[in-house]
Amino acid sequence: MIGEIDRVVVVVPARNEERLLPRCLTALERAVSRIDIPVRVQLVLDACTDGSARIASAAEVLTVSERNVGAARRRGFEHAGAGCDGRTWFATTDADSEVEDSWLSSQLEYARRGFELVAGVVAVRQWGAHSAQARRIYEREYRNHGPDGHGHLHGAALGFRADAYWGIGGFRALRTGEDVDLAGRLLAAGARIAWAEDVRVTTSARRRGRAPHGFAEHLRRLGRDEPQEVS
């Protein structure tokens, strides 16, 4: 039956996230408790030199030395989801992020309705590291939806059916933009996407991120790029 799911795999890449990882894993535990099918949370520690491994008891741990978020996500799904078919749902988030309690249950509802790809939304936690104008521009732009939905793609809030994922070769080893690349290839292959505003994640607003040209740099740029009003 199309849309029937009986297993979930969640992959979380982490690079020196000792401070934020406990909140990420606790939030995932709450989301897992809301669904009644088996869930494997696969944490991928990528070249970590901090204490991340000591606080990862709530997840299966894979240690790699990729120094590349796309490669880390890929390794996680290869390790935890090899051989999975269309009855398995894959999801991924980031170690500096906290999923909402309904993060998985909402994705599974979309899967049951026949969607192969679910793109959630991200809210920023604690804007203190950025200027008021960065927050203003981000929130204004984020609310500007296209005709088909919100149009945002985040590795922190992404889900997809396992057979669709394997069918396009999975994540590529990209240091930045691996989420957009994956979604683009899924859509090109005919995947049906849900722009899901009820699949929500709160993420950090730190100024120095792990991925070059990633979310942290995007927020810094917004703080610099606001046009000045002309009187």
Side-chain angles (χ1 to χ4, degrees):
M1 176 180 175
I2 293 176
E4 188 173 352
I5 300 294
D6 57 22
R7 183 189 178 206
V8 175
V9 174
V10 181
V11 168
V12 185
R15 177 110 184 258
N16 291 338
E17 294 288 6
E18 179 181 12
R19 185 175 65 85
L20 297 175
L21 185 57
R23 296 172 65 168
C24 170
L25 295 178
T26 297
L28 279 170
E29 286 179 0
R30 291 195 299 267
V32 169
S33 73
R34 295 278 296 270
I35 64 175
D36 58 1
I37 59 176
V39 180
R40 175 169 178 165
V41 177
Q42 180 67 64
L43 180 64
V44 184
L45 300 181
D46 187 8
C48 291
T49 58
D50 66 351
S52 293
R54 294 194 301 270
I55 58 177
S57 59
E60 300 283 342
V61 176
L62 174 66
T63 301
V64 301
S65 296
E66 300 286 354
R67 294 176 173 81
N68 179 301
V69 66
R73 291 195 209 274
R74 180 185 184 92
R75 291 282 299 275
F77 285 112
E78 288 174 345
H79 184 75
C84 290
D85 59 16
R87 297 175 66 90
T88 302
W89 188 256
F90 284 170
T92 188
T93 191
D94 291 337
D96 68 335
S97 302
E98 297 172 57
V99 304
E100 290 200 349
D101 292 359
S102 60
W103 188 72
L104 284 175
S105 58
S106 294
Q107 290 187 56
L108 292 180
E109 181 57 34
Y110 286 108
R112 294 183 184 107
R113 289 162 53 190
F115 290 95
E116 294 94 356
L117 174 62
V118 174
V121 293
V122 165
V124 174
R125 177 179 63 242
Q126 297 178 342
W127 279 96
H130 295 274
S131 67
Q133 71 179 24
R135 178 175 184 174
R136 183 166 58 251
I137 297 171
Y138 175 83
E139 292 180 345
R140 183 182 66 213
E141 291 182 351
Y142 210 85
R143 289 192 298 267
N144 289 334
H145 295 176
D148 299 321
H150 63 74
H152 302 295
L153 290 165
H154 305 281
L158 203 61
F160 31 86
R161 217 174 60 196
D163 58 343
Y165 175 83
W166 295 126
I168 53 94
F171 279 106
R172 289 174 173 160
L174 301 176
R175 297 180 68 198
T176 304
E178 81 291 346
D179 43 9
V180 176
D181 173 77
L182 180 83
R185 287 183 288 121
L186 283 168
L187 292 173
R192 184 182 175 204
I193 186 170
W195 299 105
E197 295 192 49
D198 56 344
V199 175
R200 293 183 290 264
V201 169
T202 302
T203 196
S204 70
R206 59 189 173 197
R207 293 187 61 81
R208 300 295 175 186
R210 302 296 186 261
H213 312 299
F215 191 67
E217 183 172 320
H218 172 64
L219 294 181
R220 292 201 311 275
R221 179 184 59 77
L222 293 182
R224 298 191 301 265
D225 289 355
E226 184 173 42
Q228 299 298 311
E229 294 185 2
V230 177
S231 59

